[in-house]
C-alpha cells in the first residue's frame, strides 16, 4: 500500500506509552450493549477487562443503528462519508472503494478472521461481510443464526411457540440444540488455538443482548426481579421535541408486547413490563459477559491487543423510549476498552468516538502514514475521520467531543421513524457530546444530493449532564444557557460541514 509502512515483528515505540512487539489483535463486538454506568448491569468479566485495561468511559457511536455504526467503525468514516444511514447500500459500489480496518491489517501481514456479527450481514456488506477484501477466509456465521427470529418462545398460558421479546430458553430444546453465540464462542476459541504462531486479527461479534432477549434461562437467576430498578424518568418529557422520539416498532411487533395494546406512536410501557424487560436485557448481557470470560481465558495477553465495544446502546424505558434509534446518551454511549500489553490500567473520561478505533489500532500495530480525511467528501481509498487515542492512552489531556447523527422521515413518529430507508429521509439530527453537554439540532436533509439546510430547523435539544444525566430536561429555551447554545451550535456545524 503506497505511503504505508508495513509492521514487522520487532520492537515498536509509541512515545509516552511503551515499546510494543508486533501484536495479535482481538476485537470483540457486543450487540446493543449499554454503557457500564448502569448500576443494574453487573458484568463481571467486562468490568474486569475495564479495570485491567484502558477504559474510555465516555465513548459514543456515530449512529444508533447496527449497519451504519459497524461500517463507520470498520472504515473509520462517518455515516455522511459512507452515505449509509440504513441497511441497503454497500460503500464500495455506491460511495468509494474505502479500505477497512481488517483489510488494512490483512494487507500488512495479518491473518484476518470474522466470527459472528461483525459487519452487519446483508446489502450493507455486499452479502459477504466484505469478503474477500477484509478477511483471509470466509466469515463464520453460526448455523443456529437462521433461527434468531423463529417462534421458539413458549406462551405461559397456551404453551404455543411465539416470537416474543422476552424469551429465556432451555438450550437443549432449541433448533440445533444450541444458540448462535455459543457456536461463535466455540469457533473463536478454536481459531485462537490454531493461530498461536500466526499474526492475526480476530473479530468476534456476539448477537446478544440484541432482541429478541433469547438466552439460557438460568441467567435470570443472576438478575433477581426485586433488584431491578425502573428508569428515573419513564415518561416522555414535555420539553422534548417530537422529532427526537421514535415508536420502537421492533419492540412493539413482538407477540408478547403486541398483546399489551400500547397506543401508537408514543404510548408508555406498563411499569411491570418495564421491570421485566429490563431484567431480561440484563440477564442476556450477563450471558454474553460469561461467554466473553470464557473467550478471554484462551487469549495470550502478553502479545494480544484486545478491544471490546458495542455498536451502540439501548434505551430501557428512559424518557419513554425503548431500543436504539435516537441521539440520546443511552442509545449512543457504549463501553470501549483497550487491553494493551504493558500499558497500565486507567480510566479516561474524555469523550471519544468509535471511529477513533481505526487510527488507534493502526498506530498500535505500527502501520504508519495513513492520512486524516480532508472532509466527509474525501474519496481517498485510505484515510480516516477519527483521531488516534494513543495521546490519551499516554496520559496527555485533550478536551474532546463526539459527533453522532440520526435520520427521520418526518417530525412526528411514524411506522418507519425507527430506521427510515434512504429515499424517505427528510430530516437529520446532528448531535455533539462534550464533557458536560449534549446539543442536538434536527435540520432539513436532502437524501438525493446529501445536502443539509441548517436554517430549516425541526427541533433543538440541549442537556446539561452536570444536573441532568438522564437528558430529561431540554434547556434550549433557557436563557441562562445562551452562550453555551451558541458555542455548541458553532462547534457542531463546523464539524459536520467540514
Amino acid at each position: 500500500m503506497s505511503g504505508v509502512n508495513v509492521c514487522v515483528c520487532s520492537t515498536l515505540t509509541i512515545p509516552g506509552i511503551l515499546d510494543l512487539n508486533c501484536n495479535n489483535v482481538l476485537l470483540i463486538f457486543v450487540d446493543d450493549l449499554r454503557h457500564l454506568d448502569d448500576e443494574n448491569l453487573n458484568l463481571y468479566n467486562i468490568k474486569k477487562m475495564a479495570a485491567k485495561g484502558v477504559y474510555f468511559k465516555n465513548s459514543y457511536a456515530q449512529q444508533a443503528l447496527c449497519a451504519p455504526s459497524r461500517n463507520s467503525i470498520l472504515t473509520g468514516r462517518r455515516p455522511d462519508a459512507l452515505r449509509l444511514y440504513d441497511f441497503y447500500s454497500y460503500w464500495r459500489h455506491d460511495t468509494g472503494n474505502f479500505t477497512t480496518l481488517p483489510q488494512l491489517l490483512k494487507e500488512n501481514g495479518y491473518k484476518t478472521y470474522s466470527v459472528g456479527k461483525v459487519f452487519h450481514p446483508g446489502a450493507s456488506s455486499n452479502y459477504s461481510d466484505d469478503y474477500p477484501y477484509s478477511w483471509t477466509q470466509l466469515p463464520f456465521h453460526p448455523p443456529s443464526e437462521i433461527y434468531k427470529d423463529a417462534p421458539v418462545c413458549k406462551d405461559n398460558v397456551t404453551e404455543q411457540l411465539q416470537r416474543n421479546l422476552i424469551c429465556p430458553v432451555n438450550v437443549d430444546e432449541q433448533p440445533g440444540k444450541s444458540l448462535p453465540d455459543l457456536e461463535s464462542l466455540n469457533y473463536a476459541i478454536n481459531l485462537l488455538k490454531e493461530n498461536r504462531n500466526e499474526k492475526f486479527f480476530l473479530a468476534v461479534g456476539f448477537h446478544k443482548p440484541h432482541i429478541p432477549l433469547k438466552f439460557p434461562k438460568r441467567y435470570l437467576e443472576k438478575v433477581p426481579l426485586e433488584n431491578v430498578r425502573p428508569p428515573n424518568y419513564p415518561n416522555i418529557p414535555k420539553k422534548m421535541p417530537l422529532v427526537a422520539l421514535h415508536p420502537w416498532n421492533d419492540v412493539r411487533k413482538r407477540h408478547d408486547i403486541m398483546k399489551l395494546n400500547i397506543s401508537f406512536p408514543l404510548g408508555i410501557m406498563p411499569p411491570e413490563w418495564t421491570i421485566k424487560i429490563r431484567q431480561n436485557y440484563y440477564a442476556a448481557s450477563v450471558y454474553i459477559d460469561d461467554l466473553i470470560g470464557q473467550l478471554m481465558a484462551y487469549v495470550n495477553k502478553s502479545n494480544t491487543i484486545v478491544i471490546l465495544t458495542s455498536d451502540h446502546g439501548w434505551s430501557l424505558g428512559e424518557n419513554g423510549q425503548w431500543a436504539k434509534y435516537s441521539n440520546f446518551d443511552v442509545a449512543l454511549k457504549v463501553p470501549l476498552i483497550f487491553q494493551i500489553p504493558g500499558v497500565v490500567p486507567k480510566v479516561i473520561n474524555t469523550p471519544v468516538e468509535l471511529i477513533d478505533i481505526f487510527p488507534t489500532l493502526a498506530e498500535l500495530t505500527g502501520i504508519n502514514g495513513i492520512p486524516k480525511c480532508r472532509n466527509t467528501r474525501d474519496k481517498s481509498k485510505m484515510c480516516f475521520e477519527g483521531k488516534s487515542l494513543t495521546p490519551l492512552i499516554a496520559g496527555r489531556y485533550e478536551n474532546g467531543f463526539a459527533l453522532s447523527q440520526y435520520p427521520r422521515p418526518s417530525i412526528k413518529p411514524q411506522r418507519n421513524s425507527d430506521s427510515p430507508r434512504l429515499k424517505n429521509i427528510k430530516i437529520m439530527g446532528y448531535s455533539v457530546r462534550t464533557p458536560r453537554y449534549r446539543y442536538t439540532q434536527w435540520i432539513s436533509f436532502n437524501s438525493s444530493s446529501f445536502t443539509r439546510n441548517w436554517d430549516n430547523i425541526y427541533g433543538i435539544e440541549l442537556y446539561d449532564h452536570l444536573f441532568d444525566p438522564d437528558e430529561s430536561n431540554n434547556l434550549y429555551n433557557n436563557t441562562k444557557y445562551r452562550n453555551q447554545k451558541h458555542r455548541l451550535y458553532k462547534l457542531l456545524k463546523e464539524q459536520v460541514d467540514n
Side-chain angles (χ1 to χ4, degrees):
M1 183 179 301
S2 177
V4 175
N5 298 324
V6 176
C7 176
V8 294
C9 284
S10 59
T11 300
L12 167 67
T13 299
I14 298 178
I17 302 182
L18 72 167
D19 290 337
L20 278 175
N21 289 320
C22 281
N23 285 275
N24 298 323
V25 181
L26 171 63
L27 173 60
I28 302 173
F29 275 117
V30 187
D31 203 352
D32 290 16
L33 182 65
R34 288 161 60 98
H35 58 85
L36 299 183
D37 291 338
D38 185 335
E39 61 185 16
N40 284 310
L41 205 55
N42 295 317
L43 306 181
Y44 172 78
N45 292 298
I46 293 176
K47 290 185 176 181
K48 183 171 71 172
M49 291 178 65
K52 292 185 176 182
V54 181
Y55 171 35
F56 292 91
K57 195 173 182 179
N58 292 291
S59 177
Y60 298 90
Q62 275 45 75
Q63 185 180 326
L65 190 66
C66 297
S69 176
R70 289 167 184 267
N71 282 12
S72 284
I73 294 167
L74 293 166
T75 63
R77 305 188 193 222
R78 301 187 186 281
D80 278 345
L82 299 173
R83 296 186 171 182
L84 177 69
Y85 316 100
D86 55 19
F87 300 95
Y88 307 107
S89 66
Y90 178 48
W91 76 92
R92 295 190 193 273
H93 292 166
D94 300 320
T95 311
N97 190 25
F98 305 142
T99 299
T100 68
L101 177 58
Q103 180 184 359
L104 175 68
L105 293 171
K106 180 183 176 185
E107 293 174 355
N108 282 273
Y110 284 75
K111 301 288 187 181
T112 58
Y113 305 99
S114 173
V115 176
K117 187 177 178 181
V118 178
F119 280 103
H120 193 282
S124 61
S125 59
N126 203 34
Y127 300 95
S128 66
D129 292 2
D130 198 46
Y131 176 81
Y133 295 99
S134 289
W135 310 107
T136 299
Q137 66 182 34
L138 193 68
F140 171 80
H141 286 280
S144 63
E145 186 178 314
I146 61 174
Y147 306 112
K148 63 185 178 70
D149 282 316
V152 297
C153 318
K154 282 187 179 180
D155 181 87
N156 291 332
V157 178
T158 66
E159 292 292 308
Q160 291 181 334
L161 296 179
Q162 298 184 316
R163 294 183 178 88
N164 287 347
L165 174 68
I166 294 176
C167 189
V169 298
N170 292 315
V171 175
D172 289 342
E173 296 176 359
Q174 293 303 292
K177 299 186 182 300
S178 189
L179 294 174
D181 289 325
L182 296 173
E183 294 173 316
S184 290
L185 172 67
N186 291 332
Y187 194 90
I189 288 173
N190 286 333
L191 281 175
L192 288 172
K193 291 178 178 178
E194 294 167 1
N195 286 274
R196 293 187 184 278
N197 299 317
E198 297 276 359
K199 189 169 63 170
F200 65 81
F201 171 80
L202 170 60
V204 181
F206 292 106
H207 284 259
K208 299 302 159 191
H210 191 290
I211 64 173
L213 300 173
K214 181 170 61 176
F215 54 90
K217 66 189 309 180
R218 62 187 176 87
Y219 285 95
L220 273 177
E221 301 171 4
K222 298 179 181 294
V223 188
L225 193 64
E226 60 269 20
N227 293 346
V228 178
R229 295 184 58 181
N232 291 328
Y233 298 94
N235 297 311
I236 297 170
K238 293 179 181 179
K239 296 179 183 179
M240 197 167 286
L242 276 177
V243 70
L245 305 171
H246 62 89
W248 31 277
N249 278 314
D250 59 344
V251 171
R252 291 174 182 273
K253 71 181 181 182
R254 302 290 167 174
H255 289 160
D256 49 353
I257 305 302
M258 287 174 61
K259 295 175 184 177
L260 302 178
N261 293 317
I262 300 169
S263 61
F264 183 89
L266 298 178
I268 300 299
M269 188 73 68
E272 65 275 16
W273 275 86
T274 293
I275 296 297
K276 284 198 293 186
I277 296 169
R278 288 169 71 91
Q279 179 199 27
N280 279 260
Y281 175 91
Y282 295 134
S285 301
V286 172
Y287 161 53
I288 294 304
D289 180 71
D290 189 8
L291 301 192
I292 288 171
Q294 295 178 50
L295 178 66
M296 290 297 293
Y298 290 87
V299 175
N300 184 340
K301 299 175 182 64
S302 67
N303 73 347
T304 306
I305 297 171
V306 182
I307 305 166
L308 181 143
T309 193
S310 176
D311 49 359
H312 43 71
W314 216 75
S315 294
L316 283 169
E318 293 86 1
N319 297 327
Q321 295 287 273
W322 293 88
K324 44 234 183 183
Y325 314 125
S326 78
N327 279 322
F328 297 119
D329 249 45
V330 286
L332 292 167
K333 186 177 178 180
V334 296
L336 177 58
I337 302 165
F338 280 75
Q339 283 196 342
I340 308 167
V343 173
V344 296
K346 64 186 66 175
V347 176
I348 296 173
N349 291 308
T350 302
V352 300
E353 305 175 288
L354 293 187
I355 55 171
D356 297 338
I357 293 173
F358 190 117
T360 304
L361 191 53
E363 187 170 357
L364 289 174
T365 53
I367 304 173
N368 303 312
I370 304 172
K372 190 171 177 65
C373 299
R374 296 184 297 274
N375 49 51
T376 57
R377 298 173 297 282
D378 192 335
K379 302 300 182 184
S380 303
K381 180 180 178 183
M382 183 69 261
C383 69
F384 60 86
E385 288 192 84
K387 60 183 181 300
S388 175
L389 300 176
T390 56
L392 288 170
I393 295 171
R396 294 198 288 276
Y397 173 77
E398 292 186 6
N399 188 19
F401 56 85
L403 300 179
S404 304
Q405 61 190 103
Y406 209 86
R408 292 279 188 249
S410 60
I411 296 178
K412 186 177 180 180
Q414 298 181 352
R415 295 290 177 187
N416 64 339
S417 290
D418 289 348
S419 52
R421 296 191 71 138
L422 177 62
K423 65 181 180 179
N424 296 321
I425 296 173
K426 302 292 189 299
I427 302 169
M428 188 68 72
Y430 289 100
S431 189
V432 61
R433 180 67 156 85
T434 67
R436 178 168 172 175
Y437 298 102
R438 176 172 293 285
Y439 177 89
T440 303
Q441 187 160 322
W442 299 87
I443 61 175
S444 176
F445 184 81
N446 187 313
S447 59
S448 297
S449 61
F450 296 93
T451 54
R452 58 192 76 87
N453 183 353
W454 290 94
D455 295 324
N456 194 0
I457 301 171
Y458 296 91
I460 299 178
E461 301 166 77
L462 174 65
Y463 304 105
D464 185 345
H465 276 255
L466 183 62
F467 303 106
D468 179 29
D470 297 288
E471 296 183 341
S472 296
N473 184 19
N474 185 6
L475 297 168
Y476 179 69
N477 288 321
N478 190 323
T479 57
K480 289 171 53 179
Y481 288 85
R482 184 187 305 110
N483 292 336
Q484 288 87 346
K485 288 185 293 186
H486 177 74
R487 177 179 62 85
L488 292 167
Y489 166 70
K490 183 178 179 182
L491 172 64
L492 177 63
K493 187 174 184 299
E494 285 178 349
Q495 293 300 317
V496 171
D497 287 346
N498 177 29

